[in-house]
Amino acid sequence: MQTSNVYFQQDPVDAALAVGLKDLWFPVCPSSFVKENPISLRRMGYKIALWRDHEGKVHALEDHCPHRGAPLSLGVILGDRLACPYHGVEVRHDGTVTSVPAMPGCKLEGSRTTRMFHAVESNGAIFLFNSTEPQIDTPPPLRLPEELTSPEWSSFLCYTEWGCDYRYVIDNVIDPMHGTYLHKQSHTMYEGDVTAEFHIRDTDTGFVFEKKGQRNVNFDWTEWIDTGIHLMRLEIPYPKTGGPGGNFAIIGSYTPISRQASGVFHWRCRKVDGWQRDTWRFLYKNRLEQRHWNVLEQDRVAVETMEPDANQREFLYAHDMGIVRLRRHLKGLAQAQIDRAATPA
């Protein structure tokens, strides 16, 4: 009896995108996830240990002791080091083994053998730099938009995890037309035409996909932003009952957990100050937040119940220009990453 083996080789571009592109910042969890003990998260193709030192600063290492591979996240915090629970090997935040208590002076001491991640805490979230190299001394700065950096803006972080590839989340956000249908019962997205023409407008940091001839009516546009972190920005017009501050801005960023799970970050922002800031924050927590969760839940159900290969069996039309443009852009970035890895240093 003869048998044969069939081997399927994964498309390298798809493989690179599935775990998240390199040399970018990604939000990985809300700040509140990391408290007095180390935690372990799967993000960007890695299992990562995060902890706070005695001054509250967040550090991150691959959750893998270089000795035998035990999870560092189960160990003891020694300031900017973690002591592995298995044999006490101490690994500093930069990936360097500082002590092997069972055999002082062995060759493992002083080696920089553990992948490290530069961490920045901002706007209620922890961001990690997904470097190509396992250790780099200085990453590029984390560049966030004005909604998250200017004192003129106030924001709330909304974090959830969806049971789908993170690219499905991106496709959902770059598609303003779905708001007219999926969210038609929303208190903010029931107006405007049910048909539309779209066009793409380039910017210095990406592009805007927007409806022609309709602005400040519904979910009318989405902006793709690349500043060393991939972000999406949109605005939802608000009735006066929504309080002061004009349109409601959303900044989104989406992080791969696995092929079947995504970390979904939305910062909900308004440009307010003084008493208006207090009013807006009170209204949000007491009236608006649950409505926004209801809208987000509609998105979650729609994308989670799509088949994993749904994007391989599509018939796209003109409203999907934004999806096509963004997919091509991301594939181009992935191919460039592959080409750099194949080029001798």
Side-chain angles (χ1 to χ4, degrees):
M1 178 179 178
Q2 291 185 336
T3 61
S4 61
N5 294 322
V6 179
Y7 298 96
F8 296 94
Q9 184 174 4
Q10 185 179 11
D11 173 29
V13 168
D14 182 71
L17 287 172
V19 295
L21 292 170
K22 300 293 186 184
D23 301 321
L24 288 172
W25 288 94
F26 286 87
V28 295
C29 66
S31 295
S32 60
F33 277 29
V34 187
K35 299 177 181 177
E36 65 275 7
N37 295 315
I39 67 166
S40 182
L41 296 176
R42 292 192 182 273
R43 300 289 189 272
M44 307 171 299
Y46 300 100
K47 185 181 177 186
I48 303 171
L50 296 101
W51 78 99
R52 295 183 185 275
D53 62 25
H54 300 321
E55 296 180 351
K57 179 178 173 57
V58 175
H59 303 286
L61 292 170
E62 186 170 5
D63 197 8
H64 177 100
C65 178
H67 172 219
R68 294 274 303 282
L72 292 169
S73 60
L74 295 181
V76 177
I77 296 174
L78 301 173
D80 66 351
R81 294 164 290 144
L82 288 180
C84 178
Y86 209 11
H87 298 91
V89 173
E90 297 176 15
V91 186
R92 196 168 58 203
H93 69 93
D94 64 354
T96 301
V97 175
T98 59
S99 176
V100 180
M103 184 173 285
C106 78
K107 64 179 181 180
L108 189 56
E109 288 188 340
S111 65
R112 197 175 182 186
T113 49
T114 301
R115 176 174 287 273
M116 60 88 68
F117 298 87
H118 286 278
V120 170
E121 192 168 4
S122 179
N123 291 274
I126 295 170
F127 299 80
L128 300 185
F129 186 67
N130 188 27
S131 175
T132 298
E133 300 300 322
Q135 295 94 13
I136 61 167
D137 291 327
T138 305
L142 173 63
R143 296 170 56 204
L144 298 173
E146 66 170 337
E147 289 88 347
L148 301 182
T149 56
S150 170
E152 296 180 349
W153 286 82
S154 178
S155 64
F156 292 92
L157 170 61
C158 168
Y159 173 76
T160 187
E161 295 178 8
W162 289 4
C164 64
D165 190 304
Y166 78 106
R167 288 170 289 180
Y168 277 20
V169 189
I170 291 174
D171 286 349
N172 178 73
V173 180
I174 199 64
D175 167 28
M177 202 65 205
H178 85 267
T180 306
Y181 293 90
L182 183 64
H183 305 313
K184 62 183 176 181
Q185 302 302 323
S186 166
H187 69 296
T188 57
M189 287 185 277
Y190 58 88
E191 294 185 350
D193 292 335
V194 296
T195 62
E197 290 186 61
F198 284 85
H199 70 120
I200 293 173
R201 174 168 52 87
D202 290 327
T203 69
D204 292 340
T205 56
F207 67 91
V208 176
F209 183 55
E210 58 191 352
K211 294 177 183 177
K212 293 182 179 179
Q214 180 172 303
R215 198 75 166 196
N216 297 324
V217 176
N218 199 321
F219 174 15
D220 294 331
W221 57 272
T222 303
E223 182 179 4
W224 171 257
I225 303 170
D226 184 346
T227 58
I229 179 174
H230 287 169
L231 300 165
M232 303 181 85
R233 173 164 46 200
L234 58 99
E235 285 186 2
I236 304 296
Y238 249 40
K240 291 183 179 179
T241 55
N247 286 355
F248 181 79
I250 298 175
I251 303 296
S253 192
Y254 315 106
T255 300
I257 295 175
S258 70
R259 284 276 190 170
Q260 295 80 37
S262 311
V264 178
F265 296 78
H266 288 117
W267 285 269
R268 301 167 185 273
C269 318
R270 293 192 91 172
K271 195 171 186 179
V272 284
D273 59 14
W275 69 266
Q276 291 187 338
R277 177 184 296 257
D278 295 336
T279 301
W280 137 248
R281 295 187 72 85
F282 176 82
L283 280 173
Y284 181 84
K285 298 305 292 185
N286 289 276
R287 180 187 300 176
L288 305 176
E289 184 175 25
Q290 187 56 53
R291 295 179 183 180
H292 298 156
W293 275 111
N294 293 342
V295 171
L296 197 61
E297 183 69 1
Q298 293 169 346
D299 288 315
R300 183 193 66 78
V301 171
V303 299
E304 280 192 351
T305 52
M306 294 169 68
E307 290 295 308
D309 67 341
N311 58 8
Q312 305 301 311
R313 296 184 287 131
E314 299 173 317
F315 292 90
L316 303 180
Y317 52 88
H319 287 173
D320 304 310
M321 286 190 299
I323 291 175
V324 172
R325 166 73 176 267
L326 186 50
R327 287 179 181 174
R328 287 176 177 169
H329 175 65
L330 292 174
K331 288 180 179 179
L333 294 178
Q335 185 61 60
Q337 175 182 302
I338 293 167
D339 292 344
R340 287 194 300 271
T343 301

